[in-house]
Amino acid sequence: GGWLFTVGNLYGSIEAKWGLFFVHVFFILFLGMTLLYNISKKVRFNAWEIIQLSAITILYYTCSMFLLPKINATDWQGTLTILIASFFFVLFIIVRRFKQPENTISILLLGKAISFITLAGALMFDGNYMTIFWGIEGVVLLVVAQKSNLKMLKNATQLVSIIAFIGFAKDMLINTIYPQNNTPIFNSEFLSYVFVLGALYAIFVLIKRNAIAGERLLFPMHLYRSILGGAIFLGLYLASLQELTNQIRTIEYKSAEILIIWLFHFVFISVTLIIANMRKSIPLQQLFFVFGTVCTLLYLLFANGTIISIRSMVILNAAEQGFFYMHYVVVLFLIGLMYLLHRAGKAILPTGNESVIITAALAIAGIVLASFEMDHIAVFNYASKFSQSTILRHTQTEGYTVLWGICSLVIMVIGMRKQWRTFRLLALAIFTVALLKLFTSDIQNITEAGKIIAFISLGVLLLIVSFLYQKLKKLIVDGKVD
């Protein structure tokens, strides 16, 4: 290893060939030192000897994979990996014939054979094979540790899984800086991410099934599982997002790319909320509830400008209409996410007014979203007859006023049916805002027809709300019925 770090350029050199030869000699020598005595004397392998065997294998394989390209033999990387897998499988059969006092070393050798066979498959895709190797190595070490109950191996598993995730992060960073035009999903980068995250998830499951209460390890097991679960979720999110951004670059229309990324986030968070609800996990529901709330708020604050840009380009025939229609898909998923947030809020806060307050906040978000969509629909459908400024003046005066009045009525009815005092007060507040908007701002700019529509509509709605208010005054004021 020291020689490899100090010799410099080795491409096509005689030194690289001899280095590869000595790597194989050293591997056989140290492997024999580790195995022969214990097997022949039927001595139990301790944790340090198992770690030593794994370290020898890792160093040997790393040096071999580094040197093969130096002698223009990159095509031999997959073949060598298969040969190593076969070698360990032969060792497994030999060790089984010697009938060792315990089967720890047999499990380790078989696990390594399976690891290298799996790694050979990854090499066929030219993936980030060393990161995959670390992930699989962590699974093998954990299986051996749980079969032999060796605490040192469990500590080694924690370290190896951390190294695997660091390698995963490094690969992601490189692929972000130097993105490739690859086949969607079935490309070496994304498949290698799937392999690594799958290995980390296997470790997560094995720990859950075989955890020992109070066991003292490098990291407390509950903390390690939480960190590992968070790392898997973060890795899955980042890997999926990177693959998506690499693929949508071919659209070459920035606003549409941003819209697709919003759709991805809504789908991703919705799926995680559904999974958390199915598992009835309050911590997961709380975590994804926060993510969903932040995502919804950011969409309402920033995404409308993107949709306006797409709408304007479509009206000018500078973009396909499909991009504008796609935003309706995003809105549908946003509405679905808001419903899931409502469900999650009830699960997280099953008692008290807190969950009702969350629902009221979602109702306000829904009104804001409906107001945006009224603008988009009106402009998109009538831009050929009127100017956009004229259309928006009408929608944002009498249109908003009537819309908010209708929303206020719906919220009032829901508040009465559910006996939610917060909803009823919110309905009255929205109605008050709509009336103030009408008499202080809209009445100066509104047309005669708009005045008729706004006043009649609000008058009817106000009569209905007044009737309901008088009908159930105690319910609204006191929160109860005699």
Side-chain angles (χ1 to χ4, degrees), residues 15 23 39 78 99 109 120 186 195 216 243 251 280 283 316 351 364 395 414 416 452 461 470 478 480:
E15 288 85 355
V23 163
I39 291 175
K99 297 181 179 179
L109 293 173
F186 297 101
F195 268 107
R216 298 182 63 183
E243 176 66 11
I251 297 176
K280 300 187 185 308
L316 295 173
T351 58
I364 295 173
T395 58
I414 294 173
M416 289 182 172
I452 294 172
L461 293 172
Q470 294 298 327
D478 303 327
K480 60 183 179 180

Side-chain angles (χ1 to χ4, degrees), residues 288-308:
F288 299 136
F289 177 84
V290 172
F291 286 147
T293 302
V294 171
C295 192
T296 302
L297 180 60
L298 291 176
Y299 179 88
L300 295 175
L301 290 175
F302 301 110
N304 195 53
T306 301
I307 300 172
I308 291 173

Side-chain angles (χ1 to χ4, degrees), residues 119-158:
L119 194 58
L123 280 169
M124 293 174 63
F125 299 105
D126 192 26
N128 304 306
Y129 47 85
M130 289 311 303
T131 305
I132 297 172
F133 181 62
W134 281 108
I136 299 172
E137 189 74 10
V139 177
V140 172
L141 282 176
L142 183 58
V143 171
V144 175
Q146 291 177 342
K147 292 293 183 181
S148 60
N149 198 28
L150 294 174
K151 187 170 73 173
M152 185 181 291
L153 289 185
K154 295 180 181 180
N155 287 329
T157 299
Q158 293 185 353

Side-chain angles (χ1 to χ4, degrees), residues 149 154 207-217 221:
N149 198 28
K154 295 180 181 180
I207 291 173
K208 182 178 180 181
R209 291 180 179 177
N210 298 276
I212 299 175
E215 188 175 25
R216 298 182 63 183
L217 296 172
M221 195 56 73

Side-chain angles (χ1 to χ4, degrees), residues 71-325:
I71 61 173
N72 299 317
T74 305
D75 295 340
W76 279 84
Q77 289 179 328
T79 303
L80 178 62
T81 305
I82 294 174
L83 290 174
I84 296 172
S86 303
F87 174 73
F88 275 111
F89 187 72
V90 171
L91 280 180
F92 164 73
I93 295 174
I94 293 172
V95 170
R96 294 284 290 182
R97 288 183 178 275
F98 273 84
K99 297 181 179 179
Q100 294 298 300
E102 39 79 32
N103 63 353
T104 302
I105 192 64
S106 300
I107 296 171
L108 180 64
L109 293 173
L110 180 60
K112 289 193 174 298
I114 296 172
S115 298
F116 280 103
I117 285 292
T118 306
L119 194 58
L123 280 169
M124 293 174 63
F125 299 105
D126 192 26
N128 304 306
Y129 47 85
M130 289 311 303
T131 305
I132 297 172
F133 181 62
W134 281 108
I136 299 172
E137 189 74 10
V139 177
V140 172
L141 282 176
L142 183 58
V143 171
V144 175
Q146 291 177 342
K147 292 293 183 181
S148 60
N149 198 28
L150 294 174
K151 187 170 73 173
M152 185 181 291
L153 289 185
K154 295 180 181 180
N155 287 329
T157 299
Q158 293 185 353
L159 291 175
V160 168
S161 61
I162 292 172
I163 294 171
F165 189 77
I166 292 173
F168 170 87
K170 176 193 68 92
D171 295 338
M172 281 212 65
L173 180 61
I174 293 173
N175 293 329
T176 301
I177 297 173
Y178 305 104
Q180 303 292 326
N181 292 324
N182 294 319
T183 304
I185 300 176
F186 297 101
N187 58 77
S188 59
E189 287 81 10
F190 186 70
L191 288 177
S192 65
Y193 298 154
V194 173
F195 268 107
V196 175
L197 293 175
L200 293 178
Y201 183 72
I203 294 173
F204 180 84
V205 172
L206 287 170
I207 291 173
K208 182 178 180 181
R209 291 180 179 177
N210 298 276
I212 299 175
E215 188 175 25
R216 298 182 63 183
L217 296 172
L218 186 64
F219 299 104
M221 195 56 73
H222 68 279
L223 175 62
Y224 174 64
R225 282 192 70 248
S226 299
I227 294 173
L228 190 60
I232 294 169
F233 170 76
L234 179 63
L236 180 61
Y237 166 74
L238 292 176
S240 302
L241 182 60
Q242 185 187 83
E243 176 66 11
L244 178 65
T245 53
N246 284 341
Q247 299 302 328
I248 64 176
R249 285 186 298 113
T250 58
I251 297 176
E252 298 182 351
Y253 182 29
K254 196 67 177 178
S255 296
E257 294 174 18
I258 294 172
L259 201 59
I260 292 172
I261 291 174
W262 277 115
L263 178 60
F264 162 78
H265 281 91
F266 293 148
V267 173
F268 188 86
I269 297 174
S270 296
V271 170
T272 54
L273 273 172
I274 292 171
I275 293 173
N277 184 53
M278 292 174 61
R279 293 171 59 89
K280 300 187 185 308
S281 172
I282 297 299
L284 286 180
Q285 287 178 317
Q286 290 173 335
L287 176 65
F288 299 136
F289 177 84
V290 172
F291 286 147
T293 302
V294 171
C295 192
T296 302
L297 180 60
L298 291 176
Y299 179 88
L300 295 175
L301 290 175
F302 301 110
N304 195 53
T306 301
I307 300 172
I308 291 173
S309 174
I310 294 174
R311 184 189 73 199
S312 300
M313 295 294 286
V314 171
I315 291 173
L316 295 173
N317 294 319
E320 297 291 336
Q321 289 191 4
F323 290 132
F324 179 76
Y325 292 134

